[in-house]
Amino acid sequence: MPRFSANLSMLFTEHDFLDRFDAAARAGFTGVEYIGPYDHPPETVAARLENNGLAQVLFNLPVGNWTAGERGIAVLPDRIDEFRKSVDTAIAYAKALACPQVNCLAGIAPAGVDRAVLENVFVENLKYAAPRFEAAGIKLLIEAINTKVDIPGFFLTNSAQALAIIDRVGSNNLYFQYDIYHMQVMEGDLARTIENNLGRIAHIQLADNPGRHEPGTGEINFPYLYEHLDRIGYSGWIGAEYKPKAGTEAGLGWFKALSGRKCAA
């Protein structure tokens, strides 16, 4: 059965961020992920991980001003210097937190700029970042996100586009982060896409559709997908990145059934 990590940007949000580590461990999770740790000193975050016996599974490169609506800066022609400085920041945090992989959000395509220009910026930024992460022993990932519901205008929107960009970059340290929810919205054909690209997928995330809630609340056949992932030999983590319908603990029945553990509030 796959290993599940709790995404602390979406789960246990009834607690302050640092207290979510404690809550995730009490609920039975052994790994965590989130948008980014950058609002806290790395030693503070590392202490929460250590105290709770948690693995740091994933976080993103700095994404710009999230509150103002930015969702990554890697395609923005006027933010190249900022992006390259953010690589050093992400590597420093990943080393401090023993995090084996970092995700790069492409960002929202600015109006009026040719998409070929944006792709070239993205590719060159990834060519800069991938070997630096590799030298630090950290995988670099990119993620496709749906534009129909969650992030209108996001640049990277489907599996074929993501894989083509990985091919253009030509690094053996650039991987695909496959989000089951986003790809169900944009393209479907989940099981076959994962199987056909298994060696290029370093991390998987989940939420059901519609609503982006817990597994079992929508149309996706998660029991089939879990068995499929076991059958094809996926050995990575699956990030629980969903919006709880009625509080995190109340919605963890899917996880309790798989882990055989009771969840504590």
Side-chain angles (χ1 to χ4, degrees):
M1 184 57 62
R3 298 173 295 167
F4 296 95
S5 56
N7 190 297
L8 301 185
S9 296
M10 299 186 79
L11 302 186
F12 305 104
T13 57
E14 55 269 40
H15 305 286
D16 291 337
F17 177 73
L18 291 174
D19 293 334
R20 295 174 201 173
F21 292 80
D22 310 342
R26 289 197 303 270
F29 287 99
T30 56
V32 294
E33 58 186 72
Y34 36 74
I35 294 169
Y38 309 110
D39 289 339
H40 304 277
E43 59 272 17
T44 301
V45 181
R48 291 294 178 128
L49 291 166
E50 183 177 1
N51 291 344
N52 287 290
L54 292 168
Q56 181 65 60
V57 173
L58 176 92
F59 57 80
N60 297 316
L61 276 153
V63 296
N65 189 335
W66 187 273
T67 303
E70 292 186 331
R71 296 296 183 266
I73 61 173
V75 300
L76 304 181
D78 59 343
R79 307 281 284 276
I80 293 172
D81 288 343
E82 181 183 348
F83 174 84
R84 295 189 174 189
K85 290 175 183 175
S86 79
V87 169
D88 293 334
T89 301
I91 288 173
Y93 268 86
K95 285 182 173 180
L97 304 181
C99 183
Q101 51 191 12
V102 172
N103 183 44
C104 175
L105 290 179
I108 296 171
V113 182
D114 189 278
R115 288 187 65 84
V117 171
L118 300 178
E119 182 172 312
N120 287 338
V121 170
F122 193 27
V123 167
E124 291 305 311
N125 277 335
L126 293 171
K127 285 183 176 180
Y128 175 87
R132 286 161 175 78
F133 279 100
E134 185 174 22
I138 302 160
K139 291 179 179 179
L140 179 62
L141 287 58
I142 58 173
E143 177 185 10
I145 292 177
N146 87 78
T147 53
K148 296 178 181 179
V149 181
D150 289 84
I151 309 182
F154 195 78
F155 179 78
L156 186 57
T157 64
N158 61 77
S159 299
Q161 182 192 11
L163 295 168
I165 287 171
I166 290 171
D167 287 341
R168 277 198 64 190
V169 174
S171 170
N172 60 6
N173 191 46
L174 184 60
Y175 298 86
F176 187 22
Q177 175 172 305
Y178 187 88
D179 189 298
I180 289 170
Y181 161 74
H182 288 305
M183 293 304 91
Q184 174 71 357
V185 173
M186 294 302 291
E187 64 191 29
D189 203 16
L190 305 172
R192 182 160 42 194
T193 302
I194 294 170
E195 183 171 6
N196 288 346
N197 299 287
L198 184 64
R200 310 177 80 182
I201 294 172
H203 188 62
I204 292 175
Q205 293 176 322
L206 62 73
D208 217 330
N209 181 61
R212 202 177 185 181
H213 299 311
E214 299 87 340
T217 59
E219 67 185 0
I220 300 174
N221 187 346
F222 280 103
Y224 173 83
L225 285 178
Y226 302 148
E227 292 178 4
H228 179 69
L229 291 171
D230 283 344
R231 185 167 59 250
I232 64 176
Y234 176 71
S235 59
W237 292 82
I238 299 180
E241 188 187 52
Y242 61 81
K243 303 172 185 176
K245 236 181 166 180
T248 303
E249 282 84 4
L252 284 176
W254 69 273
F255 178 65
K256 289 189 287 185
L258 291 168
S259 65
R261 296 187 58 169
K262 294 183 178 180
C263 299

